[in-house]
Amino acid sequence: MENDGIKWIYVAGEKHAATLNLVPGNSVYGEKLVKQGGEEYRLWDPYRSKLAGAMRRGLKDVPIRHGTKVLYLGASTGTTVSHVSDIVGNAGIVFAVEPATRVARELIENVASKRKNVVPVLEDARKPRSYFSVFGKVDVVYCDVAQPDQTDIAIANCQAYLKPGGIMLLVVKTRSIDVTMDPKAVVIQEAKKLEKAGFAVDQIINLEPFDKDHGMIYCVFKP
């Protein structure tokens, strides 16, 4: 997997993904800051970020690059959002959607207030038409929402904002969908739902051991 915005760094003989720190000296969630070649990088913890976990589990492409426009659903306190912000740089933008006020406050204080390329959107992802601050079409939709209808929420957002040929990364929280079904079967079921909605499913990843009963689906939007 090649991506100019992600560097693999060895610390004490262990390989870690890292991103170039857009706000030098600032650690967002207690992650380690490492200096290399006169630049400061933030180590990206796969146990704290599903995108980092997916990279460790063989995600063949991170579709987020310098200048990418991203719609991020389920931003939470901004752990992964901050690394996405590092990668897209000031030429890109991250619209970070989070409905929970307390969590969004942390997102704003720790991430958005320090990074001009992060736009917090305090809205319910079920109502994509209510995001007044999201403009134009985005290149990538990243969805990490713990709801039984998480795939439908992701599809509705892609139909509203993702450009044709754009990429969606969908985190499937299988226990939120059906606790009685085998987690792998749930992920396959959701992938079929995406195919019916006009997505080409490119890769399915099991996120264990980093996240139990979670999968990630990489798909291309072909409306």
Side-chain angles (χ1 to χ4, degrees):
M1 185 206 73
E2 284 193 14
N3 185 312
D4 291 343
I6 300 162
K7 193 175 175 77
W8 292 90
I9 288 176
Y10 284 90
V11 178
E14 268 189 48
K15 189 179 177 186
H16 298 266
T19 53
L20 182 64
N21 196 356
L22 195 65
V23 188
N26 180 247
S27 168
V28 175
Y29 57 96
E31 75 282 8
K32 204 176 176 125
L33 306 180
V34 175
K35 289 262 189 344
Q36 272 208 355
E39 302 275 25
E40 183 181 272
Y41 291 88
R42 300 168 53 227
L43 297 192
W44 198 349
D45 185 348
Y47 288 98
R48 297 285 301 276
S49 165
K50 294 176 192 76
L51 184 50
M55 282 157 41
R56 291 285 291 271
R57 293 289 286 124
L59 179 66
K60 57 187 178 191
D61 173 47
V62 175
I64 299 156
R65 306 258 190 290
H66 185 76
T68 300
K69 204 169 172 181
V70 180
L71 175 61
Y72 193 115
L73 309 172
S76 189
T77 54
T79 297
T80 302
V81 168
S82 66
H83 286 286
V84 171
S85 157
D86 284 346
I87 297 169
V88 304
N90 286 322
I93 191 159
V94 187
F95 297 107
V97 180
E98 175 51 55
T101 319
R102 184 189 57 77
V103 177
R105 195 176 298 133
E106 272 190 66
L107 169 72
I108 292 165
E109 280 174 18
N110 298 339
V111 180
S113 66
K114 298 178 173 70
R115 295 165 176 266
K116 293 185 192 73
N117 64 0
V118 175
V119 177
V121 181
L122 273 71
E123 293 287 351
D124 183 345
R126 283 199 176 86
K127 301 174 189 155
R129 300 290 176 191
S130 64
Y131 311 158
F132 299 114
S133 49
V134 179
F135 54 87
K137 293 284 183 185
V138 300
D139 307 297
V140 175
V141 170
Y142 185 95
C143 182
D144 185 3
V145 179
Q147 296 293 341
D149 55 344
Q150 55 197 252
T151 303
D152 297 322
I153 292 169
I155 291 167
N157 277 271
C158 290
Q159 287 166 343
Y161 296 108
L162 186 58
K163 67 182 190 190
I167 306 294
M168 175 166 65
L169 292 170
L170 174 65
V171 174
V172 181
K173 299 175 179 253
T174 65
R175 293 290 175 225
S176 296
I177 295 168
D178 191 334
V179 290
T180 64
M181 254 174 100
D182 172 51
K184 290 186 181 70
V186 175
V187 178
I188 289 163
Q189 166 190 288
E190 300 309 298
K192 284 181 178 152
K193 205 180 274 186
L194 290 170
E195 285 172 340
K196 278 196 184 128
F199 290 83
V201 172
D202 206 12
Q203 194 180 10
I204 295 175
I205 291 165
N206 180 343
L207 293 180
E208 291 195 22
F210 306 111
D211 278 279
K212 190 171 159 44
D213 302 331
H214 281 67
M216 184 180 282
I217 301 174
Y218 179 113
C219 54
V220 185
F221 187 42
K222 299 191 168 174

